[in-house]
Amino acid sequence: MFYDRIKAVMAGKDGLGKAAVVTLHSAFCTRGTQCSRTVELCNAHHGHRSSELAFVKAKGVEHGDEHIFDRDLVVCLVVDAILCIDLNLNAPFITFVASYIAPAIAPSASFTHLVLSKHNSFSSDPTLIPDFAPAWAAAYSKAKQHLADYTLEEKVNITTGVGWGNGLCVGNIPANKNFPGLCLEDSPLAVRFADFVTAFPAGITTASTWNRALIRARGLALGSEHKGKGVNVALGPMMNMGRIAQGGRNWEGFGADPFLTGEAAYETILGMQNGGVQACAKHFINNEQEHMRTQDSANVDDRTQHEIYAHPFLRSVMAGVSSVMCSYNLINDTYACNNDKMINDILKREYGFQGYVMSDWQATMATLSAVAGLDMTMPGDITFDSGDSYFGGNLTAFVQNGTISQARVDDMATRIIAGWYYLHQESDYPEVSFNAFNTLDEATNKHVNVQSDHYKIVREIGAAGSVLLKNERGALPLNKPRNLILVGSDAGPGISGPNEFSDQGGSDRFLAMGWGSGTGLFPYLITPYEAIQERARQDGSSIFWDFDDWNTANAQTLVTGQSAAIVFINSDSGEDYITVDGNEGDRKNLTAWHNGDNLIQAVASNNNNTIVVVNSVGPLIIEPWIEHPNVTAVVWASIGGQEGGNAIADVLYGAYNPSGRLPYTIAKSPADYPAQLITGGSGSDILAINYTEGLFIDYRHFDAANIEPRFEFGFGLSYTTFEYSQVDISAISSSDHPQQSLIQAWENGDATPIAEGSSTALWLHEPAFKVTFHVKNTGSLSGTEIPQLYIHHPASAAEPPSVLKGFTNVKVSPGQTEHVSITLSRYDLSIWDVVAQGWRKPSGEITFSVGASSRDFKLNGTIPT
Ligand code: BGC
């Protein structure tokens, strides 16, 4: 993995030699203070480093200086720049890194290209706002040159997939002249249908970490695996919103809050594209349920669309995403891939999206969709294997008869080819080495192993994404228990292996992935049963198990006298083309599968230390047992990928002190959620799905309607405790800002102007306020707290009571206090003005809270005017 490369460079094993020194021809800092802070952090991170540190600390480095630095130091700075960590690296430094160091250690050339973009951000510090405009401009000019001698038919070919099953990948753009074509492949958590790849934790588990660096690292690993297999465009991340708790594909995404989803999408895309693959933000937009997904109209008002559902796509554009996939459903009675308002106006005009829009598979409904902004049709044919296409010959004919302009087709082809240049895929890109339609074909499957040591990221995210919901009488962490029993089928390995069900469309044992196109093949799957036995061997514990979910009487007998009984339950869902146990993609209810509720109650009736582990795709109603006095602990472990069992064991035994937080609300009753699955419909019906709850999804509704949830959004316990203090907020000066007049207008309450890129303008997204506070670890174990920042708008704004607008993760040692800061942009404080069609600061006082969940506020303040 990436770290190993870094280590190799630092150890001089990269062929360049340990003794090599680097001459900085351009300075890496313009201001001494900033630089010394960087170096200090780097030093703390990687251990003491000799004289040049002292030198930089003392003097800083001025632009134009020339110094000689130890390569270790520089590499250390690069590591921090890439992977983490609250560093404030500035433009010249990153330019330096990109041009001198990155080629030696970066996983792909695209790194250089990404960091060279104007505002230069390559850290998961959200205060650094990247600007990909120069990179897009360069890619466009290459694309235009490339296409200069293409005929109309050749350009149309670039926009039209070859048809279902006619290539090695789930989607294929044919080769043309010196363009080798494109391989488009699922999924958001693995290279689907390929062997020797990593099965990562799902999006929902990743979002539960609330940890930007981990989200970024997963994206990078995913991106490099896709590239390693020859995939040009990886079909993810998926970022629908979890509007309804039963939504079949919610687990592919990042939870039920637009800000959390947006940040997770942003980090994932930066990571993936840094790995060299083009990312695809999907599904645009409102594909919030599987039932009748190609025949339902999401009827959504403009403000809700902007503030909730479109926001993660805005963040995707800001992350420089190369492509977007339009969804199956209709929006306000127009199909998503034919929706001029959504594609041309919001995505391309308002967000200034420079990449291309592809259809979901068979979601193109007309040739004229090209005019609505669709750039590529997938997989190419109108229906699978139909042999015809809305694009292809039809598109050519529409241009020839004047219905569609030549300029539009030029733009479509340019956007697609630009995406390819933008990621530098024109040189040395690996050939496709797998066959999505015949995984066993030796002629096409070259079995390229791209896994590296990504299993470590899988395990860490699995643990960091596990949420501790209850922990009484010191039940956890386990401390060398004398004996333990694991109860429930979810603890053990699938009867016929980890890939027993096609596209994971089934559930008979440990659940580590949902089902559908958002899956991959497990290379192996560590279950709790294996991981916990491994621990038992070290601890000298005795382990027993009972995988029978239905014989509760027997379970009751077996748990008697055990130091702890750990009950494993699950709940699964997926995509509509597979039905599992009556669940047509969406879950038919919010109840644990496989008799889970009864099993827990039976076990708890006979063992007073019953610990519950939940592997679920989303919220469950846990009222039947959550308050049972013998249920001492609950670990909400989500779905963790190939290392899921190890991650659970890490949390149970305290090797990982839990820091995960719920990315959705767990209600007391299904009826408490603001929106429900719409069922019914048949034949050619178009189901109306009215988003009448508007902005009030998930916790926003519970807060507004004063409904007490079982566990609120953002909730999660630790094995230690934290105390918050000393909140402060300051405005970040903008007096010399080049966009001062726009800023002034915004401060006066004017909406942002209607213009290309108006919603992604840098001045709107740059940090405008800095909230600082202290977090102290008041317990006895080192742990990570996830401080969350919620905005409370004035009544005039008609917003929900609290909206998440910031979070971070802070590791604190026992007794220590960390100084934490979270910034807010003008965009974060704005609401969408449907009349003015712009972002506007509402009139009245805006306040904020910092706390440990959406309801556990520790500190409060007011945004300065
Ligand atoms: C899914 C997409 C997926 C595509 C290709 C569709 O059914 O909705 O998410 O990328 O298939 O497999």
Side-chain angles (χ1 to χ4, degrees), residues 170 186 192 235 249 252 282-283 293 325 328 360-361 517 575 577:
V170 297
D186 296 304
R192 185 179 175 210
L235 303 175
R249 298 183 74 176
E252 292 184 50
K282 72 184 188 185
H283 311 92
R293 67 176 176 177
M325 184 190 293
Y328 282 120
D360 199 342
W361 269 231
S517 68
E575 203 171 337
Y577 64 89

